[in-house]
């Protein structure tokens, strides 16, 4: 993998140790390993079998977890299993130690005393506690180690949740905090929020309170758990798991433990009376129904049906997740100010539930801002990145009209309707229009607005995750049409090409636009980066336009569109200036083909790449199969079939990579392509790569005129392997037809093995088969079904 230089103040971490091989510890070790950090995973010595058996079992278990903690399952072998009896001397070579054992202060303190003599004098120590006092934990360490100790709190699952809270103690060296922030941001790919050392820090303090408020109001307004989930999920810009399904996933015992921690550690909180598990939650735990891990909690699966607990009946009933008609109509209102006014004014119990839950969340968050976080920005990012909300609590409040909402909260406090009678802080009602503005975000503890962090690592984020109303320099347009915009940022001579279509799909305007932009770049610029302003990179060809041509019987026009697609891929491949694709999220079909033909791809770790055309009854015809045939011939001129074996099944079964690493294993990314862990750094790195290619005297490859192919023998061999699939009913006759045509394209058609062909021959094969398939009834049915449902049709 091509290395990307980290920010100059990042900690240099060659090797790490994770103490505790539980759910979190093992997954943190997995993600550090994804990031290329050699990691030792410690746990207690096993009573029988190998002494490091607990760590070994945890590493083996990583392969079973979904979503996958490892970006490439082969990386499991790189994690070093260890136990505290035999391997403490391994700690002397470690640069970062992360403790992730159970949330017991006494156990953690014992462990720190045990490891302290073995840790090197420069190593950074961190606890992944989700809420215990970091200053309290530091007291178990010798004086000379305390300045290198801090809290580092990952969220579950650590590979996918963007948030990491860093919680310094009174003694933590600021250089350690800054170095760790840079390492976590660039190398590990995280969004870092610096939190104060208060119970549950920021994310869980606010996130768990939001769940407690929802639970309290579930009782108050007598709503079903499934109704609350219908109200508090995607309808509010939050994850599908909403409130009670989230509790089931987290584990009801874990949930109760976190609530108890709040009760024990926050005796003076004005909301303290609500820091207790509702009776129905305690009842489920007593019965051993702890959520997903025990097969049921608030919900359980009965056959194919999901049933939900009905507290009144003390029994389960079928789950009907939908809001009332009135509330569904209110939630569809675009203007947040009107939406909140209607929720507060409605007599529908579901609307009253939503207003009450928001009111108490806003009240709590504003009341505690000064003591838990430096700024309102930190609170909003913690909730967005740690809980998956589209907007944080302060952004939601500000969008709905700050003073109007503040007035309503004050009225409800005065009327005794709010969960607490604590007054709103004076700053809330000082005439402000919100907490985020052009001077930064409000710091209640400092009494002023504070701009974003000036840490040098953030210079790598040209377009950071924006807060409500935040705008960044959109650069200067060089040229645009309806499909694409070619623009520059500064004067480095690197053009940026962004699509304008929905899901960045590819239509005629995009195809013509890319070709024209490349001609302009050859005349005026040093290089081009294809980068989209938001995910995905591209969902592939615009099927609607294609199906329209076919249904109208315009086969000639359809064939012209396919030829134009191929011409675009060739324009990318043979451009005189390097074209670099910056991929994050989905790169399907034509999107995958464009990056395959680029001089280089820079892909975010979370890139889901695939030639998925077989799923809609087609085959890749934007040059994808031709490019794989050319690469196979280059890698093994004597026997290209050996190389093609690695990719045939991937394409015939329309497989999609679950990470950029997997895309390399599947042959859809090259070894020379660069993988970036933080997707907000993608454009920065892609421009650096494009610039370095340009500066090194880039030339496009020479056209392939003598490409050795696997021929009809290769196609016949692939066809024989398909017979097994058909016999096992895994594939329909139409699937077999598609796969056979894919094999024919990859192997160069009905010619002798070892024949030499040129690229145009391979492209013509793609076009022929693509147009033939597109005219079949079954393929047209597949396309129409996918457009209507978003799911593939098996016919």
């Amino acid at each position: 993998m091509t290395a990307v230089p980290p920010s100059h103040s990042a900690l240099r971490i060659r090797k790490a140790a994770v103490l505790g091989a539980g759910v979190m510890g093992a997954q943190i070790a997995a993600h550090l390993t994804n990031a290329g950090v050699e990691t030792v995973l410690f746990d207690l010595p096993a009573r029988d079998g190998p002494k490091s058996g607990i760590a070994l079992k945890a590493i083996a278990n990583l392969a079973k977890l979904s979503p996958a903690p490892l970006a490439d399952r082969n990386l499991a072998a790189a994690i070093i299993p260890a136990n505290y009896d035999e391997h403490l001397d391994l700690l002397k070579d470690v640069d970062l130690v992360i403790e992730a054992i159970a949330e017991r202060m006494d156990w953690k303190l014992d462990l720190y005393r045990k490891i302290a003599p073995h840790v090197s004098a420069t190593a950074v120590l961190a606890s992944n506690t989700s809420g215990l006092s970091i200053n309290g934990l530091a007291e178990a360490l010798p004086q000379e180690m305390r300045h290198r100790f801090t809290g580092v709190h990952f969220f579950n699952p650590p590979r996918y949740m963007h948030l990491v809270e860093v919680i310094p103690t009174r003694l933590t060296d600021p250089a350690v905090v800054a170095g760790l922030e840079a390492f976590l941001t660039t190398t590990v790919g995280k969004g870092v929020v610096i939190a104060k050392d208060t119970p549950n820090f920021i994310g869980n303090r606010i996130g768990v309170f939001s769940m407690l408020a929802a639970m309290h109001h579930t009782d108050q307004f007598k709503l079903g758990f499934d109704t609350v989930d219908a109200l508090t999920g995607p309808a509010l810009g939050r994850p599908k798991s909403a409130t009670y399904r989230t509790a089931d996933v987290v584990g009801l015992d874990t949930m109760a433990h976190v609530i108890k921690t709040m009760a024990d550690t926050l005796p003076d909180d004005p909301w303290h009376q609500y820091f207790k598990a509702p009776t129905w939650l305690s009842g489920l735990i007593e019965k051993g129904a702890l959520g997903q891990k025990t097969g049921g909690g608030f919900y359980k699966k009965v056959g194919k049906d999901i049933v939900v607990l009905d507290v009144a009946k003390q029994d389960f009933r079928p789950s009907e997740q939908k809001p009332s008609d009135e509330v569904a109509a209110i939630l569809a209102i675009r203007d947040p100010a009107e939406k909140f006014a209607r929720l507060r004014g409605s007599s529908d119990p579901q609307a009253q539930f939503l207003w009450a839950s928001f009111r108490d969340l806003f009240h709590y968050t504003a009341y505690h801002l000064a003591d838990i976080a430096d700024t309102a920005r930190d609170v909003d990012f913690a909730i967005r990145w740690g809980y998956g909300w589209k907007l944080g609590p302060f952004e939601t409040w500000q969008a709905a009209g700050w003073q109007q909402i503040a007035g309503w909260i004050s009225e409800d406090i005065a009327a005794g309707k709010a969960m607490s009678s604590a007054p709103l802080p004076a700053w809330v009602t000082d005439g402000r229009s919100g907490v985020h503005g052009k001077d930064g975000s409000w710091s209640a503890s400092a009494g002023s607005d504070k701009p974003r962090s000036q840490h040098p690592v953030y210079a790598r984020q040209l377009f950071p995750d924006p807060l409500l109303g935040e705008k960044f320099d959109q650069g200067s347009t060089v040229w645009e049409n309806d499909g694409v915009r070619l623009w520059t940022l500064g004067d480095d001579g690197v053009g940026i090409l962004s699509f304008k279509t929905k899901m960045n799909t590819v239509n005629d305007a995009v195809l013509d636009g890319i070709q024209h932009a490349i001609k302009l770049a050859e005349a005026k610029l040093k290089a081009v980066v294809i980068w989209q302003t938001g995910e995905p990179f591209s969902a592939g060809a615009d099927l609607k336009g294609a199906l329209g041509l076919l249904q109208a019987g315009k086969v000639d026009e359809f064939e012209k569109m396919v030829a134009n697609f191929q011409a675009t891929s060739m324009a990318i491949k043979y451009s005189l200036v390097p074209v670099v694709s910056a991929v994050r999220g989905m790169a399907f079909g034509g999107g995958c083909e464009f990056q395959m033909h680029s001089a280089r791809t820079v892909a975010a770790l979370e890139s889901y790449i695939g030639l998925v055309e077989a799923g809609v009854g087609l085959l890749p015809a934007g040059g994808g199969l031709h490019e794989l045939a050319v690469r196979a011939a280059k890698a093994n001129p004597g026997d290209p079939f050996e190389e093609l074996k690695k990719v045939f099944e991937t394409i015939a079964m329309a497989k999609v990579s679950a990470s950029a690493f997997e895309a390399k294993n599947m042959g859809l990314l090259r070894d020379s392509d660069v993988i970036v862990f933080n997707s907000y750094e993608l454009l920065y790195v892609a421009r650096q790569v494009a610039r370095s290619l340009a500066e090194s005297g880039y030339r496009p490859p020479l056209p392939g005129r003598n490409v050795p192919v696997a021929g009809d023998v290769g196609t016949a061999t692939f066809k024989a392997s398909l017979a097994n699939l058909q016999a096992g009913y895994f594939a329909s006759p139409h699937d077999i037809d598609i796969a056979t045509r894919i094999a024919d394209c990859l192997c160069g058609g009905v010619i002798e093995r070892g024949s030499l062909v040129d690229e145009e021959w391979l492209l013509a094969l793609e076009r022929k088969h693509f147009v033939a398939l597109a005219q079949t009834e079954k393929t047209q049915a597949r396309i129409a079904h996918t457009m209507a449902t978003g799911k593939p049709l098996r016919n």
Side-chain angles (χ1 to χ4, degrees):
M1 191 181 113
T2 315
V4 176
S7 148
H8 63 259
S9 57
L11 288 174
R12 298 293 182 190
I13 291 171
R14 187 182 298 281
K15 195 169 181 178
V18 176
L19 313 179
V23 177
M24 278 304 275
Q27 291 193 75
I28 291 168
H31 195 57
L32 288 170
T33 307
N34 289 336
V37 178
E38 188 183 17
T39 303
V40 188
L41 181 61
F42 277 89
D43 210 303
L44 296 165
R47 292 209 178 97
D48 36 46
K51 249 193 164 172
S52 297
I54 297 175
L56 280 162
K57 196 172 164 192
I59 294 166
N61 193 47
L62 289 170
K64 297 178 195 150
L65 294 179
S66 174
L70 289 164
D72 172 354
R73 55 177 33 171
N74 302 321
L75 288 170
I79 304 172
I80 302 163
N83 68 78
Y84 303 123
D85 274 10
E86 299 176 310
H87 301 123
L88 286 177
D89 61 324
L90 290 177
L91 290 171
K92 69 178 186 305
D93 301 324
V94 161
D95 307 303
L96 172 65
V97 180
I98 297 176
E99 168 272 306
I101 68 165
E103 292 289 84
R104 283 269 303 265
M105 193 70 142
D106 51 342
W107 292 0
K108 289 183 192 281
L109 297 177
D110 276 352
L111 181 60
Y112 293 1
R113 290 186 195 101
K114 190 174 193 170
I115 64 161
H118 301 274
V119 175
S120 94
T122 54
V124 172
L125 275 87
S127 174
N128 180 58
T129 175
S130 56
L132 296 177
S133 163
I134 303 296
N135 282 288
L137 289 170
E139 283 165 22
L141 293 170
Q143 203 65 42
E144 68 274 10
M145 288 172 80
R146 293 185 189 182
H147 69 284
R148 301 197 312 280
F149 177 73
T150 180
V152 169
H153 179 220
F154 285 82
F155 277 64
N156 195 12
R159 172 180 157 191
Y160 301 92
M161 296 313 285
H162 192 56
L163 179 65
V164 172
E165 292 173 317
V166 171
I167 312 97
T169 70
R170 290 184 290 273
L171 300 173
T172 311
D173 179 350
V176 166
V177 178
L180 201 54
E181 185 170 3
F183 168 76
L184 290 166
T185 302
T186 292
T187 307
V188 190
K190 294 296 160 203
V192 173
V193 167
I194 309 285
K196 297 187 181 185
D197 186 16
T198 55
N200 287 1
F201 314 130
I202 302 173
N204 284 340
R205 179 77 175 269
I206 302 301
V208 173
F209 177 79
S210 174
M211 290 179 82
L212 284 171
M215 288 176 172
H216 170 69
H217 294 305
T218 301
D219 269 356
Q220 196 187 352
F221 296 104
K222 308 209 166 6
L223 299 179
F225 299 131
D226 50 343
T227 303
V228 170
D229 279 355
L231 295 171
T232 58
L236 298 183
R238 296 182 191 172
K240 286 202 296 277
S241 55
T243 302
Y244 292 102
R245 209 173 278 270
T246 298
D248 272 355
V249 171
V250 168
L252 305 191
D253 50 342
T254 308
M255 191 75 208
H257 175 78
V258 173
I259 297 169
K260 185 179 182 309
T261 304
M262 282 179 87
D264 294 347
T265 53
L266 296 164
D268 303 324
D269 191 301
W271 283 262
H272 186 268
Q273 70 188 84
Y274 301 100
F275 298 166
K276 59 178 193 288
T279 44
W280 28 263
L281 179 58
S282 310
L284 283 168
I285 294 169
E286 276 162 31
K287 285 183 189 157
L290 307 179
Q292 209 171 294
K293 58 188 170 190
T294 58
F298 292 109
Y299 295 91
K300 67 179 181 186
K301 212 167 179 185
V302 176
K304 284 194 168 174
D305 301 321
I306 303 281
V307 294
V308 63
L309 179 67
D310 186 319
V311 175
K313 294 182 185 161
Q314 288 288 302
D315 199 4
F316 284 84
R317 59 169 172 77
S319 166
E320 308 160 7
Q321 277 206 351
K322 58 177 203 284
S324 68
D325 293 345
E326 182 187 336
V327 171
I330 295 174
L331 290 174
I333 295 169
R334 301 238 44 175
D335 173 24
E338 188 191 337
K339 187 186 299 188
F340 271 86
R342 294 276 298 279
L343 285 174
R344 186 167 190 261
S346 168
S347 56
D348 184 314
Q350 294 183 18
Q352 292 177 336
F353 163 85
L354 281 171
W355 161 249
S357 299
F358 273 117
R359 172 199 65 214
D360 293 316
L361 170 66
F362 295 160
H363 184 190
Y364 189 82
T365 309
Y367 184 89
H368 286 297
L369 173 59
D371 42 285
I372 66 169
D374 186 33
T375 68
R377 181 191 308 109
D378 296 329
V379 172
D380 281 342
F381 279 152
I383 292 296
R384 278 166 46 171
W385 296 341
Y387 278 75
W389 296 13
K390 283 213 169 74
L391 289 179
F394 286 127
E395 291 175 292
T396 307
W397 179 351
Q398 184 166 326
W402 187 271
Q403 288 306 332
Q404 171 165 287
I405 297 279
W408 290 339
I409 297 172
S410 297
E411 281 173 32
D412 281 12
I413 295 170
K417 289 181 181 174
M419 285 167 74
S420 166
S421 58
L424 281 171
W427 59 264
V428 171
T429 50
D430 63 6
R432 66 180 51 248
S433 60
V435 288
H436 305 301
K438 61 181 192 324
D439 298 323
S441 298
W442 177 248
S443 170
S445 53
S448 63
D449 287 329
K450 288 192 177 181
R452 277 179 176 263
S453 166
Q454 295 304 298
H455 191 305
V457 75
Y458 297 115
R460 299 168 60 87
Q461 299 189 14
L462 304 174
F463 292 89
D465 197 357
L467 281 164
L468 180 77
E470 205 173 10
K471 296 273 185 279
F472 303 107
D473 177 8
Q474 298 302 303
S476 316
T477 302
V478 178
W479 175 82
E480 62 186 324
N481 69 355
D482 288 345
V484 304
R485 173 181 179 233
L486 176 66
W487 52 290
T488 55
L489 206 54
D491 56 2
D492 64 350
V494 177
I496 301 164
L497 189 59
S498 305
F499 300 178
K500 296 178 174 182
T501 46
K502 191 180 176 187
M503 298 285 282
N504 299 318
T505 50
V506 182
N507 59 17
D508 289 335
V510 171
L511 295 172
D512 296 342
I514 293 173
Q515 292 176 53
H516 186 71
I518 287 174
K519 283 197 185 91
L520 281 175
E522 288 178 334
K524 295 182 177 178
L525 298 166
K526 286 182 184 171
V528 173
V529 170
I530 303 177
W531 176 81
Q532 315 298 9
T533 53
E535 288 185 22
F537 178 71
S538 172
D542 170 20
L543 291 173
K544 194 171 158 198
L547 190 62
L549 290 175
L550 289 169
Q551 287 171 335
K554 298 180 177 171
V555 178
D556 288 355
E557 278 183 51
F558 181 76
E559 190 163 351
K560 267 188 206 138
M561 187 196 80
V562 180
N564 198 26
F565 221 118
Q566 294 181 334
T568 307
S569 291
M570 292 301 104
I572 291 170
K573 181 171 180 174
Y574 291 111
S575 163
L576 288 170
V577 295
V579 178
V580 171
S581 288
V583 175
R584 53 181 168 168
M586 294 182 293
F588 289 171
C592 175
E593 289 171 300
F594 289 163
Q595 68 80 23
M596 286 172 70
H597 287 85
S598 305
R600 192 79 89 250
T601 295
V602 177
L605 175 71
E606 300 308 335
S607 292
Y608 311 118
I609 301 175
L611 292 169
V612 296
E613 289 84 351
V616 289
L618 292 166
L619 51 73
L625 296 177
H626 128 278
E627 181 62 18
L628 290 169
V630 170
R631 287 184 191 180
K634 202 174 249 172
N636 192 339
D639 189 4
F641 185 77
E642 279 306 305
E643 294 299 312
L644 293 171
K645 278 200 305 209
K646 300 172 191 170
V647 293
F648 172 66
E649 193 177 294
T650 294
I651 296 147
M653 298 180 91
K655 289 183 181 173
V656 174
S657 76
S659 72
F661 285 107
E662 217 171 84
K664 284 195 174 189
N665 296 343
M666 287 161 66
L668 299 174
L669 286 178
R670 297 156 290 200
D671 284 346
S672 58
D673 289 333
V674 180
I675 297 175
V676 171
F677 271 62
N678 193 321
S679 65
Y680 295 107
E681 295 185 353
L682 184 67
L683 180 59
Y684 172 87
V685 177
R687 284 171 81 212
Q688 296 280 19
V689 169
R691 206 178 294 135
S692 88
L693 284 170
E695 294 297 340
S696 59
Y698 177 79
R699 293 291 303 170
L702 290 167
R705 293 214 168 80
N706 295 298
V707 182
V709 292
D712 48 11
V713 178
T715 306
T717 313
F718 281 139
K719 207 169 170 189
S721 72
L722 293 170
N724 303 334
L725 276 179
Q726 198 171 3
Y729 297 105
F730 295 119
S732 69
H734 194 52
D735 289 328
I736 300 295
D737 180 32
I738 296 161
T740 306
R741 291 173 184 271
I742 288 170
D744 192 59
C745 291
L746 288 171
C747 297
V750 188
I751 52 175
E752 271 186 45
R753 179 180 167 177
S755 300
L756 301 178
V757 302
D758 62 8
E759 289 190 68
E760 185 39 57
W761 170 277
L762 295 166
L763 290 168
L765 267 177
E766 267 186 14
R767 284 198 303 278
K768 177 184 93 172
H769 285 303
F770 187 85
V771 174
L773 279 171
Q775 292 177 78
T776 63
E777 202 177 304
K778 285 191 166 167
T779 286
Q780 291 190 17
R782 284 191 185 191
I783 296 173
H785 184 269
T786 301
M787 278 167 50
T789 66
K791 295 189 171 79
L793 169 72
R794 299 299 305 277
N795 59 2

